[in-house]
Amino acid sequence: MQTAASITLNSRISAPPRARSQAHIRPVIFHAPDCVIYAQGERTRSLYQIEYGAVRIYRLLADGRRQIVAFHLVGETFGFEINDTHSFYAEAMVNTGLISIERDAGGQLNDRLVGVALKAMVRAQEHLLVVGRQSSLEKIAVFLVDLADREGGADVIDLPMSRIDIGDYLGLTIETVSRTISKLRDMGIVRLRNARSIEIVKPEKLRMLSN
Amino acid sequence: MQTAASITLNSRISAPPRARSQAHIRPVIFHAPDCVIYAQGERTRSLYQIEYGAVRIYRLLADGRRQIVAFHLVGETFGFEINDTHSFYAEAMVNTGLISIERDAGGQLNDRLVGVALKAMVRAQEHLLVVGRQSSLEKIAVFLVDLADREGGADVIDLPMSRIDIGDYLGLTIETVSRTISKLRDMGIVRLRNARSIEIVKPEKLRMLSN
DNA sequence: CGAGCCGTTGAAACTAGTCAATTATTGTGG
DNA sequence: CCACAATAATTGACTAGTTTCAACGGCTCG
């Protein structure tokens, strides 16, 4: 159960990882769930590193549907754009603390920025392989394995996102997402501690499905 | 109808566009249809610019399926990778002439390389939006509109790829690709001069579908 | 405690996939 | 140049899987 946001915020602000050798400490900016971090069309200000929480990156399609192109978790950096204009939305999914990473003075691409861009590209390409797959079982399996790895490789996955988010990420409806997770449960591969906490009982079988 | 490859090759080799101010002229390397330009796992040698022809970029999945992540047409540059190892295959789809673009001496990222990388990233993200769509009609519509734009905006699209390629690109079977194109024909939106040449009769309707 | 949202489950409708047969196109050898 | 073979594309019938519509259960927050 989550405690009050301000407590979490304050407990972290004094010890940011990857602290630069600069005089001032970068402030942690707090975002409540569903709070917009930046919007499509907005001018790019900086990159963001997640201190705690989780973020979804998405685009709204003309017909109102939403395609989530990426989830970002603790420790990850996001916010890279080609132009100086954001072509995606970024929203906090849970209580989230961010530190912003400024560009160079001249607005030039520095090594860090390029690194983030490349990682984003790899993610997008990998995600393409997943979304292009046929079966919902494969999609969900890949999704869970990826999330487990990124959360530190533990057996228990803490989902920061709703079923709607997962559906918009994988190109499925919430019903199919739910049914597929239920199927994995019935197959004895996962166990649901609650809707947002999934225990992987048989990791090797899950990986087989996500092959 | 295509003439002998060598003739096409020779007719182009003397006038490469974007010629650098260097002493020697870069040779145009010829590739026959289905010829591998580079393979997954191979060491990255250079970037490639398409003088004539068309190229598919794809990855083979563990179960033998093939996900095409990009098509490249005349004038476009491809071959960028994060590591010095290719994580995708590149194959010519028709008779194709390439000129190679070397990296800097130190293997550093130069502006050109970064530009290609960014364009590839944008493409991957855009493609994600397409593949994540539900209906085959939308996918095919987006595909055709994109191709028409990239071929110069004319009403007649020359498809350098097979139905299998299109299917592997959009996450559809060849039958569905064929049926969907036939449906567009029955709707009076396109006309098939032959299987590889599609005339867009009602561009505005096609764009509406691809919205 | 009740309202509201999130998630699950069921049944029907529909879309895309699979299997199979037919037609069109391309290439090869006589 | 034509006949034939091989490949590519289309179409049909059927099946499987996902979406849609709907109802219900459970958790959270006022």
Side-chain angles (χ1 to χ4, degrees):
Chain A
M1 185 165 286
Q2 292 284 84
T3 53
S6 60
I7 295 173
T8 314
L9 179 64
N10 292 333
S11 69
R12 300 264 192 150
I13 196 168
S14 55
R18 294 188 184 226
R20 301 268 197 90
S21 58
Q22 292 182 357
H24 66 284
I25 294 169
R26 294 188 175 278
V28 174
I29 308 151
F30 173 74
H31 291 268
D34 301 323
C35 175
V36 174
I37 298 162
Y38 56 75
Q40 197 172 329
E42 235 179 71
R43 199 161 187 293
T44 309
R45 275 187 292 273
S46 68
L47 298 184
Y48 302 91
Q49 181 170 303
I50 302 177
E51 288 295 289
Y52 58 93
V55 171
R56 60 177 164 250
I57 310 293
Y58 66 93
R59 184 178 282 187
L60 290 177
L61 278 64
D63 60 359
R65 280 175 306 183
R66 183 183 68 158
Q67 175 68 49
I68 294 179
V69 297
F71 293 124
H72 290 291
L73 307 179
V74 172
E76 298 176 356
T77 306
F78 67 94
F80 179 83
E81 296 286 347
I82 286 79
N83 310 318
D84 57 355
T85 305
H86 285 295
S87 49
F88 296 95
Y89 288 90
E91 276 178 12
M93 293 191 291
V94 294
N95 288 333
T96 300
L98 304 174
I99 56 174
S100 79
I101 298 167
E102 302 300 328
R103 285 160 177 260
D104 287 356
Q108 278 264 295
L109 295 174
N110 59 24
D111 288 352
R112 165 100 201 206
L113 207 60
V114 171
V116 172
L118 298 187
K119 205 178 284 181
M121 187 179 76
V122 174
R123 275 274 165 69
Q125 288 172 334
E126 295 290 338
H127 189 196
L128 198 59
L129 301 181
V130 176
V131 175
R133 281 162 182 260
Q134 289 87 329
S135 85
S136 61
L137 205 63
E138 285 178 312
K139 289 183 181 180
I140 294 288
V142 173
F143 172 72
L144 291 177
V145 167
D146 177 53
L147 216 57
D149 287 347
R150 286 162 67 189
E151 283 186 357
D155 287 344
V156 176
I157 306 172
D158 209 42
L159 298 177
M161 70 287 288
S162 68
R163 298 290 189 267
I164 299 178
D165 288 331
I166 300 173
D168 287 351
Y169 181 64
L170 298 175
L172 299 171
T173 60
I174 53 171
E175 293 94 334
T176 301
V177 171
S178 183
R179 266 187 265 270
T180 306
I181 293 176
S182 297
K183 186 185 275 184
L184 285 173
R185 166 173 51 73
D186 297 345
M187 292 165 80
I189 293 174
V190 303
R191 201 171 67 82
L192 277 75
R193 299 155 67 97
N194 61 61
R196 296 289 186 99
S197 180
I198 296 178
E199 182 186 342
I200 302 178
V201 180
K202 297 178 180 168
E204 65 296 342
K205 288 200 176 179
L206 194 64
R207 272 174 206 283
M208 263 179 53
L209 290 174
S210 72
N211 208 6
Chain B
M1 187 162 285
Q2 292 284 81
T3 53
S6 59
I7 295 173
T8 314
L9 179 63
N10 292 332
S11 69
R12 301 265 191 149
I13 197 169
S14 55
R18 296 187 182 227
R20 300 268 197 91
S21 57
Q22 291 182 358
H24 65 285
I25 293 169
R26 294 189 175 276
V28 174
I29 308 151
F30 173 73
H31 291 269
D34 301 322
C35 175
V36 174
I37 298 162
Y38 55 76
Q40 198 172 329
E42 234 179 71
R43 200 162 187 293
T44 308
R45 274 187 293 272
S46 68
L47 299 183
Y48 302 90
Q49 181 172 303
I50 303 178
E51 288 294 289
Y52 58 94
V55 171
R56 60 177 164 250
I57 310 293
Y58 67 92
R59 184 178 282 189
L60 289 177
L61 278 65
D63 59 359
R65 280 175 305 183
R66 183 183 68 158
Q67 175 69 50
I68 294 180
V69 297
F71 293 123
H72 290 291
L73 307 179
V74 172
E76 297 177 357
T77 306
F78 67 93
F80 179 83
E81 296 286 346
I82 286 78
N83 311 318
D84 58 355
T85 306
H86 285 294
S87 47
F88 297 94
Y89 289 90
E91 276 178 13
M93 295 191 291
V94 293
N95 287 334
T96 300
L98 304 174
I99 56 175
S100 80
I101 298 166
E102 302 300 329
R103 286 159 177 260
D104 287 355
Q108 278 263 295
L109 295 174
N110 58 25
D111 289 353
R112 165 99 201 208
L113 206 60
V114 171
V116 173
L118 298 188
K119 205 179 282 181
M121 187 177 77
V122 173
R123 275 274 165 70
Q125 288 173 334
E126 296 290 339
H127 190 196
L128 200 58
L129 301 181
V130 176
V131 176
R133 281 162 182 261
Q134 290 86 329
S135 84
S136 60
L137 205 63
E138 287 179 310
K139 289 182 181 181
I140 294 288
V142 173
F143 172 73
L144 291 178
V145 167
D146 178 52
L147 216 56
D149 287 347
R150 286 162 66 189
E151 284 187 357
D155 288 343
V156 176
I157 305 172
D158 208 43
L159 298 177
M161 70 287 288
S162 69
R163 298 291 189 267
I164 298 178
D165 288 331
I166 300 173
D168 287 350
Y169 181 64
L170 298 175
L172 300 171
T173 60
I174 53 171
E175 293 93 335
T176 301
V177 170
S178 183
R179 265 187 266 270
T180 306
I181 293 175
S182 297
K183 187 185 274 183
L184 286 173
R185 164 173 53 72
D186 296 345
M187 292 165 79
I189 294 174
V190 303
R191 201 169 69 82
L192 276 76
R193 299 156 65 97
N194 60 61
R196 296 290 185 99
S197 180
I198 296 178
E199 182 185 342
I200 302 179
V201 180
K202 296 178 180 168
E204 66 294 344
K205 288 201 175 179
L206 193 65
R207 272 174 204 283
M208 263 179 52
L209 290 174
S210 73
N211 209 3

